[in-house]
Amino acid sequence: PTLRIATWNIHSGKGRDGVLDLHRIAQQLSEFDFVGLNEVRGTTRLGGGPHQAEALGRQLSSGWLFHPYERRWGRDDFGNGVITTCEVTHWQRTPLPHTSVKGHGNIIVHTIAWNDATVQILVTHIDRQADRLPQLRLALKAFQDLPAPAVLMGDLNTTATDPELASFLALPDVSDVLARTETPSSADRIDWILVRGLRSEEHTL
């Protein structure tokens, strides 16, 4: 009866120690049904090979999707991703408005089959500089326009003190999944899972 979801900015597979290790990331994700990934790298080998979403998916015997928004050397190089044990019946990727060539981002709405119903899950990564506000507004509106039950997850590069996000969090039908795990040290949190039409319980890694 429980849909187990997570969001993780994997920083190209590197931990806080600077070590690239997808295996230890996979170990942390083994209990989840749907994971939204940010800062996912495409293949790093000139001869091809799996992108990081596929590499994680294979380690977890799960499905995967890579949603790139940067191309280098004629190939998809960087973007968002998904690891899922749920059936994704449809997905739609939309570029985010941007003023720079690099790091413009996208939003992806995934329709998943779950318990004889469908859930809409929006995954995104918002710019941290000049394009942050217009991208945030677009992502919040896209989430609000989705039929419930719906989820918005990702690195929004925005804290709860931002007026735009604060007013959205005050809406009666929007629930911040991670709110009840807040501590003084998490006041600068920029990663979010918001839900509509779902009852939430929290689990932090």
Side-chain angles (χ1 to χ4, degrees):
T2 301
L3 177 64
R4 302 164 300 177
I5 60 176
T7 182
W8 195 328
N9 185 329
I10 67 170
H11 297 290
S12 300
K14 294 182 179 180
R16 294 179 180 176
D17 55 6
V19 176
L20 194 160
D21 188 346
L22 291 180
H23 178 69
R24 63 180 175 182
I25 294 176
Q27 289 180 313
Q28 297 295 325
L29 300 179
S30 61
E31 298 181 358
F32 293 97
D33 302 308
F34 187 99
V35 181
L37 303 171
N38 301 136
E39 298 195 15
V40 179
R41 285 288 173 189
T43 177
T44 57
R45 302 203 301 266
L46 293 178
H51 48 69
Q52 290 182 330
E54 179 180 351
L56 286 169
R58 289 189 179 278
Q59 290 187 52
L60 294 166
S61 298
S62 300
W64 63 83
L65 286 167
F66 179 41
H67 299 295
Y69 52 76
E70 287 185 18
R71 286 184 62 83
R72 292 196 299 176
W73 303 298
R75 59 177 174 79
D76 293 328
D77 181 65
F78 192 69
N80 297 309
V82 162
I83 305 297
T84 179
T85 61
C86 304
E87 179 187 1
V88 178
T89 60
H90 180 265
W91 60 267
Q92 180 174 339
R93 183 172 67 213
T94 304
L96 286 167
H98 57 279
T99 57
S100 64
V101 174
K102 184 177 180 180
H104 53 80
N106 54 33
I107 57 175
I108 317 97
V109 177
H110 308 80
T111 302
I112 67 166
W114 177 64
N115 280 1
D116 298 322
T118 59
V119 181
Q120 311 292 323
I121 303 182
L122 190 159
V123 176
T124 192
H125 186 187
I126 301 301
D127 182 67
R128 69 172 59 187
Q129 297 177 339
D131 295 323
R132 185 191 65 84
L133 189 55
Q135 291 186 359
L136 177 67
R137 286 172 175 168
L138 191 151
L140 294 179
K141 184 179 186 307
F143 172 57
Q144 194 170 28
D145 289 344
L146 290 175
V151 179
L152 165 62
M153 62 168 62
D155 183 347
L156 303 186
N157 271 311
T158 303
T159 66
T161 60
D162 177 82
E164 196 81 22
L165 182 57
S167 62
F168 192 83
L169 294 173
L171 296 175
D173 64 335
V174 174
S175 175
D176 173 12
V177 171
L178 301 177
R180 282 174 286 180
T181 65
E182 293 282 74
T183 65
S185 63
S186 61
D188 294 330
R189 173 166 62 93
I190 58 176
D191 296 288
W192 296 84
I193 300 178
L194 306 180
V195 300
R196 295 172 38 246
L198 293 167
R199 185 177 71 243
S200 62
E201 297 179 356
E202 302 81 16
H203 172 68
T204 55
L205 301 177

